[in-house]
Every structure is written in C-alpha cells, then in structure tokens.
Amino acid sequence: MNVPLLDLKAQYQSLKSELDAAVERVVTSQGFIMGPEVDALEAEMAAYLETPFAVGVASGTDALLLPLKALDPQPGDEVILPAFTFFATAGAAWNAGFTPVFCDVDPHTFNVTRETIEAVWSERTRAIIPVHLFGQMAPMEDILGLAAERGAYVIEDAAQAIGAKRVCGAGHEPVMAGAAAPAGAFSFFPSKNLGGFGDGGLVSARDPQMADKVAKLRVHGGRQMYHHEMVGTNSRLDALQAAVLRVKLPHLDSWAAARRANACKYEGMLADVSDVSTPVVLEGNFHVYNQYTLRVPRRDELRSALADTGIGTGVYYPIPLHLQECFASLGGQEGQLPVAEQLCREVVSLPIFPELGEARLQQVGQAIRDFFGVEKGD
Ligand SMILES: Cc1ncc(COP(=O)(O)O)c(C=O)c1O
C-alpha cells in the first residue's frame, strides 16, 4: 500500500458538502474581496487563539512581512531568527528591510532558546522571531523575558503551530501559539493543520497598534479608500479562503488530536530503534505535529528505502538559512551554527496527517524497523 506524506483528499471528502456550499455562497454573492466571510473568520480566529485581534492576510509570508514592516526598520536594524526554519521567516525579515541574524536551535526540540538567541544578540537587535517549528512552541517565557530585559519586539512565527499551547511557568494557564507575544503569524497554506484552498495567512495580535497597522498595510496603507497613511501593499485574505477556513476551523482540534494519537503510536513503534530519535516535547508543551520529524543517521538511504516501498517522506529542511546562497553577503560560514547544520543532515518527516490510519502507520513504523534491522523484542 502506498503511503503519501500528506493526503488532503480524505479531509476534503469528509467535509465536501459543507465546503462546496461555502464556496458556492461566496460565488453566488460575488463578494470576493474582504466582507462578511473575512470579518467572521477574523472574529472566530481571535476567539480560538484567545487573542484580541486577528487580521487576515494573503499568506503566512505576509503575516510575517507586514508586522515586520509595521516596526518601521531602519538600515542595519537586526531581527534574530532561527537558521533552521522555512525560508519565509528570513525572507520576510529581509524584504521588510531588516538584516536577518541567524541563531542556532535546541538539538532536541529544534526550536530557539534564550541561550541561542543571546549568543547572537547585538546592539542593533530590534526584534526576535521565535518559530514554533513542526507544531510545538518555543519557550516563550524565556524569550519574552529576554526581549523585555533588552528591549526588542517579539513576533511568533506560528505558521506550523496553529492550536499548539504552552504552559509558560508553574501555575500559569496554557497560552495559545500566537497569543504569547505582542504579535503572531499564521499560514493557511494547504498542508498546514488548518489549510485553505490556496494561499492565506493571518496576523494575531495582543498589541492594538500592531493590529491597526497591519490592517492598513494589507490594503495599501489606509483604512479609508484613497487615503494612504503609509505605503502598504495588497495582501488581503480572499473571501473564498475565509469561507473555506470557517468550515474547517471547528474541526481543527479533532485533527490535532488525531495527529497526536499518530505521534504516540509512532513513538511506541520506534522507541527501541536506537538509531532513531523521535520528537522531544518540551515540558509544558501541547504539540500539534504539523510534522513528525525524526533524527536519523543515513537519512537519505532510509528515505530511498522507504520510497522503494511506496512511503513518502520529507526533509524539512536540507540547508540552514545562514548557508543559503541569497544570504552570502551576510557572511554565514559552515560550522557557525552546528546544531542547525547537523539537523539539516539528519531530519526526516513521516506521514502524520489525521486520516493516515492504523494500517498505514504500522507499515511506516515497520519499514523503519526493517531498515535499521531491529527485530521485535531486540
Ligand atoms: C515556519 C513558516 N513560516 C512561514 C511560512 C510561510 O507561510 P506561507 O507559505 O503561507 O507564505 C511557512 C509556511 O510554509 C512556515 O512553515
């Protein structure tokens, strides 16, 4: 049986009539730009994320770009972000006018820590973007503490972590990803845990000024037509996407539960495979497993052995950002961020989507055991 890394068709089939009706509603209204669907999604997302403001934008990339632009960077201003993340985190920083400064990550959680950020801090640091990689939150209490001590703005990159939570200290209530810092960025790219029928994104904000600026920046810099307080862009969330996402949002928590159950089963199947490091969940975290990512030796050999039996895998990410060609002018060197570099050689993501099912999951787990030559009870 083939096991794709991700199969979106099963989810569509399970909600087909509601999704088709939502699309038809928008098409019938011919109201494609902003309007009631976008307003309603923003209200529903703000309630879900437990944050006062939610502003729909055209992509997760823009959900980073617009808050960064709102900070009005001056030449040489730096933003610290992990070297081990999707390119958009750094691309947005660059395109907003910041100099991206790459930090290393924790080898177990793959996320930034206070220490890895501190190691690259400079007097030009103005902002930090902790990325909640693969669906678990970075230690926000430490990062927000550091930012408050030294004076820097924090924007959470929660593109992969919608619905994740973290208990940020003993006796605290869990805080939702995107609601810990003054602003957060979400992506509705189809492969995300809440995915649209195309591109889409959202900025969450506790900071009213930030929410106001982003709401203006997404429509050319002014709320009133033909009045431009700042130079913005066109980065609206489509009404069609909003309508689709509104159908899916009520199911998000049950999909996360299915992903978590799959992760638990993989953990059971792979715990005795000494070559494999399964994901480590930081204490206090509720992980939503946008990706289930192992560290393994002989990663590429494992991938091709799995591919030979019809099992799809992914490598997120093969090249750390400080070594990307486009950032050569920043002077990144091999060996500079050893954990990020090592992870790029060792990580492999397995199918974890909610509809995966027991039989396909067992097949993946068994194929990995076979590759490393681990018998039952070894
Ligand atoms: C960590 C991270 N940041 C930002 C983005 C950008 O989101 P989008 O693809 O919606 O622009 C993504 C998504 O691919 C992501 O994984």
mmCIF file of all heavy atoms in Angstrom, residues 24-55:
data_model
loop_
_atom_site.group_PDB
_atom_site.id
_atom_site.type_symbol
_atom_site.label_atom_id
_atom_site.label_comp_id
_atom_site.label_asym_id
_atom_site.label_seq_id
_atom_site.Cartn_x
_atom_site.Cartn_y
_atom_site.Cartn_z
ATOM 1 N N GLU A 24 -19.822 28.003 -2.830
ATOM 2 C CA GLU A 24 -20.967 28.458 -3.622
ATOM 3 C C GLU A 24 -21.576 29.733 -3.046
ATOM 4 O O GLU A 24 -21.983 30.642 -3.773
ATOM 5 C CB GLU A 24 -22.015 27.345 -3.694
ATOM 6 C CG GLU A 24 -22.967 27.554 -4.847
ATOM 7 C CD GLU A 24 -24.107 26.546 -4.869
ATOM 8 O OE1 GLU A 24 -23.891 25.384 -4.463
ATOM 9 O OE2 GLU A 24 -25.206 26.948 -5.300
ATOM 10 N N ARG A 25 -21.604 29.802 -1.720
ATOM 11 C CA ARG A 25 -22.160 31.001 -1.053
ATOM 12 C C ARG A 25 -21.399 32.259 -1.498
ATOM 13 O O ARG A 25 -21.999 33.266 -1.828
ATOM 14 C CB ARG A 25 -22.002 30.797 0.462
ATOM 15 C CG ARG A 25 -22.724 31.774 1.328
ATOM 16 C CD ARG A 25 -22.723 31.301 2.779
ATOM 17 N NE ARG A 25 -21.398 31.326 3.404
ATOM 18 C CZ ARG A 25 -20.858 30.314 4.067
ATOM 19 N NH1 ARG A 25 -21.492 29.176 4.199
ATOM 20 N NH2 ARG A 25 -19.648 30.425 4.598
ATOM 21 N N VAL A 26 -20.066 32.153 -1.527
ATOM 22 C CA VAL A 26 -19.263 33.321 -1.910
ATOM 23 C C VAL A 26 -19.442 33.613 -3.397
ATOM 24 O O VAL A 26 -19.628 34.771 -3.795
ATOM 25 C CB VAL A 26 -17.768 33.098 -1.577
ATOM 26 C CG1 VAL A 26 -16.927 34.272 -2.061
ATOM 27 C CG2 VAL A 26 -17.582 32.899 -0.079
ATOM 28 N N VAL A 27 -19.416 32.552 -4.189
ATOM 29 C CA VAL A 27 -19.545 32.757 -5.638
ATOM 30 C C VAL A 27 -20.908 33.380 -5.959
ATOM 31 O O VAL A 27 -21.013 34.322 -6.754
ATOM 32 C CB VAL A 27 -19.341 31.424 -6.395
ATOM 33 C CG1 VAL A 27 -19.656 31.591 -7.880
ATOM 34 C CG2 VAL A 27 -17.907 30.938 -6.211
ATOM 35 N N THR A 28 -21.942 32.894 -5.314
ATOM 36 C CA THR A 28 -23.280 33.442 -5.557
ATOM 37 C C THR A 28 -23.348 34.911 -5.161
ATOM 38 O O THR A 28 -23.942 35.728 -5.853
ATOM 39 C CB THR A 28 -24.337 32.625 -4.768
ATOM 40 O OG1 THR A 28 -24.197 31.267 -5.148
ATOM 41 C CG2 THR A 28 -25.750 33.100 -5.067
ATOM 42 N N SER A 29 -22.688 35.239 -4.042
ATOM 43 C CA SER A 29 -22.719 36.647 -3.571
ATOM 44 C C SER A 29 -21.849 37.553 -4.444
ATOM 45 O O SER A 29 -22.037 38.757 -4.464
ATOM 46 C CB SER A 29 -22.241 36.726 -2.118
ATOM 47 O OG SER A 29 -20.822 36.657 -2.076
ATOM 48 N N GLN A 30 -20.868 36.944 -5.115
ATOM 49 C CA GLN A 30 -19.878 37.701 -5.908
ATOM 50 C C GLN A 30 -19.123 38.712 -5.040
ATOM 51 O O GLN A 30 -18.555 39.689 -5.535
ATOM 52 C CB GLN A 30 -20.542 38.396 -7.111
ATOM 53 C CG GLN A 30 -20.987 37.408 -8.187
ATOM 54 C CD GLN A 30 -19.814 36.801 -8.951
ATOM 55 O OE1 GLN A 30 -19.064 37.508 -9.609
ATOM 56 N NE2 GLN A 30 -19.652 35.499 -8.853
ATOM 57 N N GLY A 31 -19.087 38.461 -3.748
ATOM 58 C CA GLY A 31 -18.328 39.328 -2.831
ATOM 59 C C GLY A 31 -17.012 38.655 -2.512
ATOM 60 O O GLY A 31 -16.894 37.903 -1.544
ATOM 61 N N PHE A 32 -15.997 38.908 -3.338
ATOM 62 C CA PHE A 32 -14.737 38.163 -3.230
ATOM 63 C C PHE A 32 -13.698 38.857 -2.363
ATOM 64 O O PHE A 32 -12.728 38.236 -1.936
ATOM 65 C CB PHE A 32 -14.144 37.953 -4.630
ATOM 66 C CG PHE A 32 -15.000 37.096 -5.512
ATOM 67 C CD1 PHE A 32 -15.595 37.619 -6.650
ATOM 68 C CD2 PHE A 32 -15.232 35.765 -5.194
ATOM 69 C CE1 PHE A 32 -16.386 36.828 -7.464
ATOM 70 C CE2 PHE A 32 -16.021 34.961 -6.001
ATOM 71 C CZ PHE A 32 -16.609 35.499 -7.136
ATOM 72 N N ILE A 33 -13.859 40.175 -2.190
ATOM 73 C CA ILE A 33 -12.806 40.939 -1.516
ATOM 74 C C ILE A 33 -13.312 41.435 -0.163
ATOM 75 O O ILE A 33 -14.327 42.150 -0.096
ATOM 76 C CB ILE A 33 -12.377 42.147 -2.392
ATOM 77 C CG1 ILE A 33 -11.949 41.696 -3.799
ATOM 78 C CG2 ILE A 33 -11.260 42.942 -1.709
ATOM 79 C CD1 ILE A 33 -10.718 40.794 -3.854
ATOM 80 N N MET A 34 -12.609 41.037 0.895
ATOM 81 C CA MET A 34 -12.977 41.391 2.271
ATOM 82 C C MET A 34 -14.447 41.005 2.520
ATOM 83 O O MET A 34 -14.885 39.993 2.037
ATOM 84 C CB MET A 34 -12.702 42.872 2.569
ATOM 85 C CG MET A 34 -11.256 43.300 2.296
ATOM 86 S SD MET A 34 -10.021 42.382 3.237
ATOM 87 C CE MET A 34 -10.221 43.114 4.842
ATOM 88 N N GLY A 35 -15.163 41.778 3.324
ATOM 89 C CA GLY A 35 -16.579 41.488 3.521
ATOM 90 C C GLY A 35 -16.844 40.520 4.659
ATOM 91 O O GLY A 35 -15.965 40.218 5.465
ATOM 92 N N PRO A 36 -18.091 39.998 4.706
ATOM 93 C CA PRO A 36 -18.550 39.264 5.898
ATOM 94 C C PRO A 36 -17.792 37.970 6.195
ATOM 95 O O PRO A 36 -17.617 37.625 7.361
ATOM 96 C CB PRO A 36 -20.028 38.977 5.606
ATOM 97 C CG PRO A 36 -20.225 39.248 4.147
ATOM 98 C CD PRO A 36 -19.166 40.202 3.728
ATOM 99 N N GLU A 37 -17.341 37.258 5.164
ATOM 100 C CA GLU A 37 -16.633 35.991 5.440
ATOM 101 C C GLU A 37 -15.290 36.283 6.137
ATOM 102 O O GLU A 37 -14.896 35.586 7.074
ATOM 103 C CB GLU A 37 -16.376 35.199 4.145
ATOM 104 C CG GLU A 37 -17.618 34.760 3.413
ATOM 105 C CD GLU A 37 -18.377 33.625 4.101
ATOM 106 O OE1 GLU A 37 -17.858 33.053 5.091
ATOM 107 O OE2 GLU A 37 -19.497 33.328 3.636
ATOM 108 N N VAL A 38 -14.603 37.290 5.655
ATOM 109 C CA VAL A 38 -13.302 37.633 6.253
ATOM 110 C C VAL A 38 -13.519 38.165 7.678
ATOM 111 O O VAL A 38 -12.828 37.758 8.619
ATOM 112 C CB VAL A 38 -12.530 38.655 5.376
ATOM 113 C CG1 VAL A 38 -11.248 39.112 6.070
ATOM 114 C CG2 VAL A 38 -12.197 38.032 4.018
ATOM 115 N N ASP A 39 -14.503 39.035 7.841
ATOM 116 C CA ASP A 39 -14.793 39.566 9.183
ATOM 117 C C ASP A 39 -15.110 38.419 10.156
ATOM 118 O O ASP A 39 -14.618 38.392 11.285
ATOM 119 C CB ASP A 39 -16.013 40.509 9.150
ATOM 120 C CG ASP A 39 -15.706 41.807 8.411
ATOM 121 O OD1 ASP A 39 -14.519 42.081 8.153
ATOM 122 O OD2 ASP A 39 -16.675 42.533 8.089
ATOM 123 N N ALA A 40 -15.946 37.493 9.682
ATOM 124 C CA ALA A 40 -16.362 36.396 10.564
ATOM 125 C C ALA A 40 -15.173 35.494 10.904
ATOM 126 O O ALA A 40 -14.989 35.100 12.063
ATOM 127 C CB ALA A 40 -17.478 35.594 9.901
ATOM 128 N N LEU A 41 -14.342 35.192 9.895
ATOM 129 C CA LEU A 41 -13.169 34.346 10.178
ATOM 130 C C LEU A 41 -12.248 35.039 11.187
ATOM 131 O O LEU A 41 -11.740 34.398 12.113
ATOM 132 C CB LEU A 41 -12.384 34.016 8.907
ATOM 133 C CG LEU A 41 -11.144 33.168 9.218
ATOM 134 C CD1 LEU A 41 -11.512 31.717 9.538
ATOM 135 C CD2 LEU A 41 -10.115 33.212 8.104
ATOM 136 N N GLU A 42 -12.046 36.318 11.017
ATOM 137 C CA GLU A 42 -11.156 37.037 11.938
ATOM 138 C C GLU A 42 -11.703 36.967 13.377
ATOM 139 O O GLU A 42 -10.935 36.746 14.327
ATOM 140 C CB GLU A 42 -10.989 38.493 11.481
ATOM 141 C CG GLU A 42 -10.135 38.590 10.228
ATOM 142 C CD GLU A 42 -9.992 39.994 9.669
ATOM 143 O OE1 GLU A 42 -10.759 40.895 10.070
ATOM 144 O OE2 GLU A 42 -9.102 40.197 8.821
ATOM 145 N N ALA A 43 -13.020 37.128 13.503
ATOM 146 C CA ALA A 43 -13.618 37.060 14.849
ATOM 147 C C ALA A 43 -13.473 35.640 15.413
ATOM 148 O O ALA A 43 -13.123 35.453 16.592
ATOM 149 C CB ALA A 43 -15.086 37.471 14.786
ATOM 150 N N GLU A 44 -13.711 34.647 14.573
ATOM 151 C CA GLU A 44 -13.637 33.255 15.044
ATOM 152 C C GLU A 44 -12.190 32.875 15.376
ATOM 153 O O GLU A 44 -11.935 32.146 16.347
ATOM 154 C CB GLU A 44 -14.229 32.324 13.971
ATOM 155 C CG GLU A 44 -15.748 32.445 13.894
ATOM 156 C CD GLU A 44 -16.353 32.003 12.555
ATOM 157 O OE1 GLU A 44 -15.637 31.352 11.762
ATOM 158 O OE2 GLU A 44 -17.529 32.326 12.322
ATOM 159 N N MET A 45 -11.257 33.360 14.590
ATOM 160 C CA MET A 45 -9.844 33.064 14.870
ATOM 161 C C MET A 45 -9.383 33.770 16.143
ATOM 162 O O MET A 45 -8.623 33.196 16.928
ATOM 163 C CB MET A 45 -8.964 33.497 13.691
ATOM 164 C CG MET A 45 -8.997 32.540 12.512
ATOM 165 S SD MET A 45 -8.246 30.932 12.848
ATOM 166 C CE MET A 45 -6.594 31.421 13.269
ATOM 167 N N ALA A 46 -9.818 35.010 16.331
ATOM 168 C CA ALA A 46 -9.425 35.724 17.552
ATOM 169 C C ALA A 46 -9.942 34.962 18.774
ATOM 170 O O ALA A 46 -9.221 34.794 19.772
ATOM 171 C CB ALA A 46 -9.959 37.150 17.521
ATOM 172 N N ALA A 47 -11.176 34.466 18.671
ATOM 173 C CA ALA A 47 -11.738 33.701 19.800
ATOM 174 C C ALA A 47 -10.940 32.406 19.995
ATOM 175 O O ALA A 47 -10.576 32.051 21.130
ATOM 176 C CB ALA A 47 -13.210 33.392 19.533
ATOM 177 N N TYR A 48 -10.635 31.711 18.904
ATOM 178 C CA TYR A 48 -9.915 30.441 19.001
ATOM 179 C C TYR A 48 -8.518 30.643 19.584
ATOM 180 O O TYR A 48 -8.065 29.869 20.419
ATOM 181 C CB TYR A 48 -9.825 29.779 17.617
ATOM 182 C CG TYR A 48 -9.079 28.465 17.655
ATOM 183 C CD1 TYR A 48 -9.703 27.307 18.102
ATOM 184 C CD2 TYR A 48 -7.733 28.398 17.282
ATOM 185 C CE1 TYR A 48 -9.014 26.111 18.175
ATOM 186 C CE2 TYR A 48 -7.040 27.205 17.352
ATOM 187 C CZ TYR A 48 -7.679 26.064 17.791
ATOM 188 O OH TYR A 48 -6.994 24.885 17.875
ATOM 189 N N LEU A 49 -7.856 31.698 19.117
ATOM 190 C CA LEU A 49 -6.463 31.932 19.538
ATOM 191 C C LEU A 49 -6.367 32.656 20.876
ATOM 192 O O LEU A 49 -5.265 32.853 21.387
ATOM 193 C CB LEU A 49 -5.723 32.750 18.467
ATOM 194 C CG LEU A 49 -5.583 32.092 17.097
ATOM 195 C CD1 LEU A 49 -5.003 33.078 16.089
ATOM 196 C CD2 LEU A 49 -4.696 30.846 17.178
ATOM 197 N N GLU A 50 -7.516 33.069 21.389
ATOM 198 C CA GLU A 50 -7.552 33.803 22.667
ATOM 199 C C GLU A 50 -6.659 35.034 22.601
ATOM 200 O O GLU A 50 -5.809 35.275 23.456
ATOM 201 C CB GLU A 50 -7.175 32.878 23.834
ATOM 202 C CG GLU A 50 -8.147 31.707 23.948
ATOM 203 C CD GLU A 50 -7.708 30.631 24.916
ATOM 204 O OE1 GLU A 50 -6.653 30.794 25.553
ATOM 205 O OE2 GLU A 50 -8.424 29.624 25.018
ATOM 206 N N THR A 51 -6.873 35.792 21.532
ATOM 207 C CA THR A 51 -6.094 36.998 21.318
ATOM 208 C C THR A 51 -7.065 38.112 20.902
ATOM 209 O O THR A 51 -8.070 37.840 20.256
ATOM 210 C CB THR A 51 -5.006 36.733 20.241
ATOM 211 O OG1 THR A 51 -4.148 37.844 20.123
ATOM 212 C CG2 THR A 51 -5.591 36.426 18.893
ATOM 213 N N PRO A 52 -6.821 39.354 21.291
ATOM 214 C CA PRO A 52 -7.824 40.381 20.999
ATOM 215 C C PRO A 52 -7.993 40.706 19.515
ATOM 216 O O PRO A 52 -9.073 41.095 19.103
ATOM 217 C CB PRO A 52 -7.317 41.617 21.751
ATOM 218 C CG PRO A 52 -6.073 41.248 22.450
ATOM 219 C CD PRO A 52 -5.736 39.826 22.149
ATOM 220 N N PHE A 53 -6.933 40.542 18.723
ATOM 221 C CA PHE A 53 -7.020 40.940 17.318
ATOM 222 C C PHE A 53 -6.544 39.816 16.397
ATOM 223 O O PHE A 53 -5.581 39.115 16.725
ATOM 224 C CB PHE A 53 -6.157 42.183 17.047
ATOM 225 C CG PHE A 53 -6.486 43.335 17.963
ATOM 226 C CD1 PHE A 53 -5.682 43.608 19.063
ATOM 227 C CD2 PHE A 53 -7.607 44.127 17.726
ATOM 228 C CE1 PHE A 53 -5.990 44.649 19.926
ATOM 229 C CE2 PHE A 53 -7.917 45.171 18.581
ATOM 230 C CZ PHE A 53 -7.112 45.436 19.687
ATOM 231 N N ALA A 54 -7.215 39.713 15.261
ATOM 232 C CA ALA A 54 -6.796 38.764 14.214
ATOM 233 C C ALA A 54 -7.066 39.439 12.877
ATOM 234 O O ALA A 54 -8.177 39.903 12.631
ATOM 235 C CB ALA A 54 -7.580 37.461 14.326
ATOM 236 N N VAL A 55 -6.040 39.505 12.046
ATOM 237 C CA VAL A 55 -6.137 40.227 10.771
ATOM 238 C C VAL A 55 -5.748 39.273 9.648
ATOM 239 O O VAL A 55 -4.591 38.824 9.581
ATOM 240 C CB VAL A 55 -5.182 41.458 10.769
ATOM 241 C CG1 VAL A 55 -5.366 42.271 9.487
ATOM 242 C CG2 VAL A 55 -5.410 42.338 11.992
#
